[in-house]
Amino acid sequence: MSVTNVPRASCLPATKVKSGHRHLSSVRRVVVCSSTTAKRGVRCVPHASFGFGKANSKSNKGPPVLTSKKVVPGQGKGSPKWREIHQCLIDENVKAVDARDLSSFVAANKNAILIDVRQTIEFNEWNVPPSVNVPYAIPDPNVVRRAVGYAISIKGGLKVRNPGFIDLVREARRREKKNASTIVLIDTKGGDLATSPTADGTSGVYDQTDSQALRAAFELTQAGDFKDVRYVKGGLPGAIEFGNMPYQSKKWKPFLEWLTLTNRDDTRKLLMYSRLLPDPTNLPGVLLQGGIFLFIGLAYYDVFGIGSWAAENVPAACAFLPVCL
């Protein structure tokens, strides 16, 4: 099997073709990124402009267009490590819009569309106009797995990558700004391409360079018809707190404004940016965790003989129950 690497200062498909096969349909899509990732043979982006994979384009004049199912996913099964995605985004020249300048950027760029990639529950709680919602992560279609998230108070339950994200962005572009040439992605975290990621294996929760917006950008750069994809460095908190962008909320605006007026702005920020505004999907987890703490408390003080029962029936309970002393 021969390997051909196409030299280019971005994430590239290096084709692996069996001897004697010349058709693109027999090409296995592999990507080699430039810089440090090229040295390691990183596999990441099947670049649409090179014609790999089945495209939706009806004409050969322009670059083919890939659907969500044809791109390398930014998260979940089949996705590269974050460090590799990070490098590919740099190689693809994905630019940042500083959160402090977002309002003026959107006002000055009439062909730009601002897309909030948070889950729909969060977007409906509050958002910044003129953003439109195209969630990058959606509730897990498997009810059992989704319910696990409810049990531990994850708003909306456990989630998976939205398998139709790219197609939904196209729909939003046609609906909102048909001639939009710039896609600006925003979420709560923001992410950062100017800083090196932390060590491999570190959770994206703690790696400040990682974000849903950037993982979404990773997929859009592969699609073939999004030439200018950007992300908001500083995210929604930066846009609101430092960029003075107003937020809107039909349900929570009076309460959130009251917190600000009564010098409880830190509480407002915590509720908004830590996803702590009450929602029915949080209730199962709150009840479950509350029940566990109640049981522990009753057992500790042996109320109604619960401590004695736990000492006999719950393994290792005597490690902390006074009734065993």
Side-chain angles (χ1 to χ4, degrees):
M1 181 179 291
S2 63
V3 179
T4 303
N5 292 337
V6 184
R8 177 171 172 258
S10 64
C11 295
L12 301 176
T15 66
K16 288 188 176 181
V17 188
K18 291 183 178 181
S19 178
H21 289 259
R22 299 171 65 97
H23 298 292
L24 289 179
S25 59
S26 67
V27 175
R28 180 184 177 187
R29 290 179 297 166
V30 182
V31 164
V32 177
C33 294
S34 69
S35 185
T36 56
T37 54
K39 298 176 182 178
R40 296 185 291 138
V42 174
R43 301 182 179 188
C44 33
V45 184
H47 216 284
S49 61
F50 281 78
F52 294 96
K54 187 176 180 180
N56 284 345
S57 178
K58 296 181 180 180
S59 171
N60 293 326
K61 294 181 179 180
V65 173
L66 299 182
T67 65
S68 298
K69 294 181 180 180
K70 297 298 179 181
V71 301
V72 174
Q75 72 174 33
K77 184 178 180 181
S79 64
K81 293 180 179 180
W82 168 243
R83 182 176 294 275
E84 297 161 3
I85 294 175
H86 187 275
Q87 183 61 51
C88 282
L89 291 171
I90 293 173
D91 291 344
E92 288 297 314
N93 198 31
V94 173
K95 299 177 181 177
V97 176
D98 193 297
R100 294 169 294 186
D101 303 324
L102 180 61
S103 180
S104 58
F105 179 88
V106 172
N109 292 270
K110 302 302 181 182
N111 288 328
I113 180 171
L114 180 62
I115 294 182
D116 188 329
V117 301
R118 294 177 300 156
Q119 63 170 322
T120 302
I121 289 177
E122 295 175 33
F123 181 84
N124 289 340
E125 286 179 340
W126 61 269
N127 57 76
V128 293
S131 64
V132 295
N133 182 224
V134 182
Y136 181 65
I138 59 174
D140 194 319
N142 184 298
V143 177
V144 175
R145 288 197 297 263
R146 186 165 71 246
V148 171
Y150 297 150
I152 57 177
S153 296
I154 294 179
K155 186 171 290 188
L158 289 184
K159 297 165 196 67
V160 296
R161 163 189 175 257
N162 185 347
F165 175 73
I166 292 176
D167 308 299
L168 291 173
V169 171
R170 290 188 179 115
E171 289 181 14
R173 180 171 60 180
R174 286 193 295 267
R175 183 178 66 250
E176 303 293 332
K177 290 185 179 181
K178 193 172 183 179
N179 297 320
S181 57
T182 300
I183 305 294
V184 182
L185 303 173
I186 191 169
D187 64 357
T188 305
K189 195 174 178 184
D192 187 3
L193 293 181
T195 303
S196 297
T198 57
D200 287 339
T202 303
S203 169
V205 175
Y206 302 105
D207 189 340
Q208 294 304 307
T209 68
D210 194 353
S211 73
Q212 292 279 287
L214 284 173
R215 290 179 181 268
F218 174 70
E219 297 193 13
L220 291 183
T221 57
Q222 302 173 55
D225 55 341
F226 299 101
K227 303 304 181 183
D228 186 8
V229 179
R230 308 190 184 205
Y231 73 102
V232 179
K233 183 177 179 180
L236 287 160
I240 294 172
E241 308 304 330
F242 304 109
N244 297 317
M245 286 194 76
Y247 65 89
Q248 60 183 11
S249 173
K250 292 181 180 180
K251 184 176 182 180
W252 295 107
K253 189 68 175 286
F255 172 65
L256 295 172
E257 289 182 337
W258 174 79
L259 288 175
T260 298
L261 292 173
T262 54
N263 296 318
R264 296 178 175 89
D265 217 30
D266 287 342
T267 301
R268 173 189 65 80
K269 295 174 185 177
L270 179 66
L271 291 173
M272 290 176 64
Y273 307 141
S274 298
R275 305 179 181 90
L276 293 178
L277 288 170
D279 182 83
T281 59
N282 293 127
L283 185 60
V286 172
L287 294 177
L288 176 62
Q289 294 170 42
I292 291 174
F293 282 112
L294 176 62
F295 176 80
I296 292 174
L298 294 176
Y300 187 84
Y301 293 103
D302 198 22
V303 179
F304 305 126
I306 292 176
S308 299
W309 176 88
E312 296 179 2
N313 297 279
V314 179
C318 280
F320 72 95
L321 289 178
V323 73
C324 298
L325 299 178

